[in-house]
Amino acid sequence: MVEALTIGRATAPSAGTRRSAVRALSYAFFAMALLFAAVAATLGDVFFFRLATEALIFGGLALSVDLLLGRTGLLPLGQALFFGFGAYVSALTLKHLAPSLPLALALVLVSGTLVGLVGGLIAIRAKGVYFALISFGLAQVVSKIVFNTRELGASDGLIGVPAPVVGLGVASLDTAHAPSFFLLVLAGMALLLALLMRLMDTPFGRTLDAIRTNEQRLAFLGFDPWRYKLAAFVLAADIAALSGALYPMLRGFVSPELMFFQVSGNAVINVIVGGTGSFVGALYGSALLTALKSVVGSFTAHHAIAIGALFVVSVIFFPKGLIGYLAPALERRWSRR
Amino acid sequence: MLDWLQFVLAPQVVNGLSIGVAVVLMALGLTIIFGLLDVINMAHGEFYAIGAYAALALIGMGLPFWWALALTPLLMAALGYATERALIQRVFNSKDRHTLTLLLTFGIAIILEDILKIVFGANPMRIEQPISGATEMFGLFFPNYRLFLMAVGAAVIAVVWAVVFRTRLGAMVRAAAYDRHMAASLGVPVSVVYAGTFAFGVALAGLSGVLLAPIYSVFPTMGRDFVLIAFSVVIIGGMGSIKGAVIAGLLLTQVQSISSLYTSPVWSDPLLFGIMVLVLMWRPHGLFGRLGHG
């Protein structure tokens, strides 16, 4: 089968061992996250908890990019539009309606679906680089509108967003408490990752893989690629919006910068460095680059040059990304035994 | 009504035209690079900024502005050639050339912008206007530098068009864009043509950087917003179309300039991108065709 768009895909859909290698690396990610939480909680740290939570939240945005880029073969350059949209809806809900996490998530899901549908109807018409540029253009329009709208705080954004308390039956969880919120976000990302990996084993997921591989052949087989692409686009918009919905709870504010190209670009960098098509690679990439930014950033203000260099090197020499190299290595080790 | 035309509309149109030719120069570089190499050069805005800084540095070394204007495009061409040879060529033959080159130039943009911040600092700097004074036309005063900008821009656009469509070199370039294997077998040095084309596009970006530096201040992220306009121009005109870049560039900057009479200039970007999205919905491939294709 001819692979039209592969950008170093980490998983071959048919390879069972590859899937279990990716699954093992997913478990390893969450094990390391829990280990980190245990160490940080023992040390009574807040700063690194917040940083790690931010890495997870932006990891959610990267997951949505990977659904489009790694699975459907569409490169989105404006995914921050939906992330920022979710953040604004969530902030407005928490601030003006009620400080309730389920309410915020529900409203973000509903409105995110609508916005994703509108964006998708516009963007899906274009293919290849035109899709990339139209998604980029849409995000530019919306971010500039938000930037110029005084009712949304214009360039300052919305500040003073309350952190809600989440009732969990017998106990309750305060999102203002850094370790609790980290665990909550971690659980959310684990659920999201599990759902996405499960979804890819369904006929729907297979169809997305087929669109990436050969859209024309899929059409000849009697499928309507447009419908599946639109569904993937809306799903990705929802994932990005829900991830963005968590942001104001972490930082207490939202700003138009969340919709800017830098955020979209960083999400793409996370996916490429982590490994396209594997989903967990998006989380690895986000954690890795947040850590790198923080470490390099403590020495110099010019951490972007390190990120950029890492990105250029990985595009040229390691287009499969971290997971694309770890998973086959793990697989080889298993088959040798 | 006549007063309105003379004192309100005309100055806006001239201002729009002077920015317009610089935008067209940027867009020409982008569209030639795409039309020939299939590369979306995300670093184009940074090359524009480097052009402005190169002029600033050359003037700082004591050279007159005119020397900087002549030397900068040559320096930028060398930089572009080296970038193509050292980096872009490495992913050029990959199956995902579109995506990989887009991502690669995006990475290059991040690095270049940070280098500018390290070398020149983040604060805006200025270049003295090399031509002072204004010329009176139709009872209005137009800054001489803007008139000069329009003349130089128009000349460069004409030269680029003539080189691409009226010379043997241009024919080779178009042949390489249309069918690289056929061109190679006919003796066109395709890889040199590719690197040269990239260098040429980068030189055009640098040239618009020098030309606009005396009007705007020079700062490391100056390319960001400007390249967005150039991108929408290229998309509306049709990726790879020289005619499209010129027409769309002049039209869009006029829309931008005239709309600022009625609304706050902060809305000009949403307006331009709105037009871009509408055009793409109506004609997903832009208004005009590709460089090597008719």
Side-chain angles (χ1 to χ4, degrees):
Chain A
M1 205 181 211
V2 187
E3 288 222 320
L5 205 121
T6 47
I7 324 163
R9 283 189 16 80
T11 54
S14 56
T17 44
R18 182 68 56 85
R19 267 218 306 281
S20 45
V22 171
R23 197 165 295 145
L25 288 165
S26 313
Y27 290 135
F29 179 84
F30 289 99
M32 283 189 283
L34 287 173
L35 188 68
F36 159 82
V39 173
T42 321
L43 298 174
D45 167 80
V46 171
F47 175 77
F48 283 108
F49 258 127
R50 297 268 177 216
L51 196 68
T53 313
E54 190 167 298
L56 284 177
I57 290 175
F58 282 109
L61 174 63
L63 281 175
S64 92
V65 169
D66 200 19
L67 175 64
L68 291 176
L69 174 65
R71 307 309 298 219
T72 324
L74 297 164
L75 168 62
L77 286 182
Q79 207 58 10
L81 160 61
F82 303 108
F83 185 82
F85 175 82
Y88 268 90
V89 170
S90 165
L92 289 169
T93 309
L94 295 172
K95 217 177 154 179
H96 297 299
L97 283 179
S100 154
L101 177 68
L103 180 70
L105 291 184
L107 286 177
V108 166
L109 189 63
V110 172
S111 56
T113 305
L114 288 175
V115 172
L117 209 55
V118 173
L121 286 173
I122 296 171
I124 292 297
R125 295 171 55 93
K127 285 182 181 164
V129 289
Y130 293 93
F131 171 83
L133 291 172
I134 208 170
S135 63
F136 168 73
L138 282 175
Q140 284 301 325
V141 174
V142 176
S143 69
K144 294 272 178 181
I145 289 174
V146 171
F147 191 84
N148 293 329
T149 303
R150 207 164 294 136
E151 290 72 22
L152 291 172
S155 57
D156 296 331
L158 300 168
I159 52 167
V161 180
V165 175
V166 185
L168 293 168
V170 282
S172 68
L173 193 152
D174 188 359
T175 57
H177 184 236
S180 309
F181 190 53
F182 174 78
L183 291 176
L184 184 76
V185 174
L186 188 67
M189 289 305 150
L191 185 67
L192 188 59
L193 184 68
L195 285 175
L196 278 173
M197 286 171 86
R198 183 75 198 84
L199 183 73
M200 286 306 122
D201 285 336
T202 62
F204 175 74
R206 298 270 180 246
T207 314
L208 295 189
D209 277 329
I211 289 176
R212 185 194 63 247
T213 313
N214 192 333
E215 188 179 333
Q216 208 168 21
R217 186 177 295 176
L218 190 76
F220 290 156
L221 288 172
F223 290 87
D224 184 2
W226 182 84
R227 227 193 273 168
Y228 287 91
K229 282 196 319 196
L230 185 63
F233 192 91
V234 172
L235 187 60
D238 281 334
I239 295 169
L242 288 175
S243 311
L246 300 170
Y247 187 84
M249 298 171 205
L250 175 71
R251 293 293 177 207
F253 71 92
V254 289
S255 64
E257 275 95 37
L258 289 177
M259 291 183 175
F260 282 4
F261 177 61
Q262 282 78 356
V263 176
S264 302
N266 272 331
V268 174
I269 294 180
N270 290 343
V271 171
I272 300 285
V273 170
T276 7
S278 65
F279 290 127
V280 74
L283 297 181
Y284 271 103
S286 183
L288 191 73
L289 285 163
T290 308
L292 187 71
K293 248 181 240 178
S294 155
V295 171
V296 179
S298 64
F299 295 110
T300 162
H302 301 287
H303 57 253
I305 205 164
I307 307 280
L310 175 72
F311 182 58
V312 164
V313 166
S314 63
V315 167
I316 294 178
F317 298 106
F318 307 101
K320 287 182 166 62
L322 187 66
I323 297 301
Y325 283 84
L326 284 183
L330 206 60
E331 200 186 337
R332 273 196 299 278
R333 173 165 283 199
W334 284 345
S335 58
R336 230 184 288 142
R337 256 186 291 170
Chain B
M1 180 64 193
L2 211 60
D3 279 357
W4 179 83
L5 277 180
Q6 186 182 6
F7 295 108
V8 181
L9 191 64
Q12 282 297 345
V13 169
V14 172
N15 273 348
L17 267 180
S18 60
I19 305 301
V21 290
V23 167
V24 170
L25 289 183
M26 279 282 274
L28 273 185
L30 273 177
T31 213
I32 287 174
I33 290 173
F34 181 84
L36 182 67
L37 307 174
D38 260 352
V39 171
I40 306 257
N41 183 19
M42 299 296 281
H44 211 66
E46 280 63 34
F47 286 124
Y48 159 77
I50 293 175
Y53 272 111
L56 195 85
L58 289 171
I59 291 167
M61 284 158 62
L63 288 174
F65 176 83
W66 309 110
W67 276 88
L69 185 64
L71 281 177
T72 305
L74 296 177
L75 291 174
M76 296 306 293
L79 178 65
Y81 197 88
T83 308
E84 210 277 347
R85 275 292 153 107
L87 298 171
I88 294 169
Q89 210 152 74
R90 290 179 191 273
V91 294
F92 201 71
N93 292 320
S94 144
K95 277 175 291 183
D96 312 310
R97 184 166 84 198
H98 269 142
T99 318
L100 285 183
T101 51
L102 194 157
L103 295 171
L104 183 61
T105 50
F106 172 47
I108 293 170
I110 296 173
I111 298 176
L112 291 180
E113 191 185 304
D114 228 24
I115 290 178
L116 284 181
K117 277 186 196 154
I118 292 172
V119 176
F120 295 97
N123 293 329
M125 299 191 219
R126 284 203 79 89
I127 289 183
E128 283 285 307
Q129 290 227 354
I131 303 177
S132 54
T135 304
E136 192 189 334
M137 273 192 290
F138 318 112
L140 280 170
F141 287 95
F142 296 105
N144 282 339
Y145 186 73
R146 292 206 178 229
L147 298 175
F148 164 76
L149 186 65
M150 278 154 46
V152 172
V156 172
I157 292 164
V159 167
V160 169
W161 181 85
V163 167
V164 172
F165 291 106
R166 289 287 179 269
T167 65
R168 194 175 162 75
L169 180 70
M172 276 159 75
V173 167
R174 281 180 290 135
Y178 188 71
D179 186 338
R180 56 187 294 206
H181 299 294
M182 182 61 84
S185 55
L186 289 173
V188 175
V190 172
S191 68
V192 176
V193 168
Y194 282 174
T197 306
F198 193 81
F200 185 64
V202 169
L204 285 177
L207 182 65
S208 33
V210 191
L211 286 172
L212 282 188
I215 297 183
Y216 299 121
S217 47
V218 181
F219 51 99
T221 54
M222 65 189 280
R224 262 189 211 164
D225 284 339
F226 199 60
V227 79
L228 293 181
I229 302 173
F231 260 121
S232 25
V233 163
V234 169
I235 293 170
I236 291 173
M239 301 285 305
S241 163
I242 290 181
K243 186 167 64 173
V246 175
I247 295 174
L250 295 178
L251 279 179
L252 271 196
T253 45
Q254 282 307 318
V255 168
Q256 197 182 25
S257 169
I258 294 171
S259 72
S260 67
L261 287 174
Y262 299 97
T263 163
S264 153
V266 296
W267 292 106
S268 74
D269 279 0
L271 181 71
L272 290 193
F273 287 108
I275 294 175
M276 177 185 101
V277 169
L278 287 177
V279 169
L280 276 184
M281 289 176 70
W282 170 52
R283 278 185 79 119
H285 289 263
L287 298 177
F288 300 96
R290 290 271 305 265
L291 182 63
H293 305 249

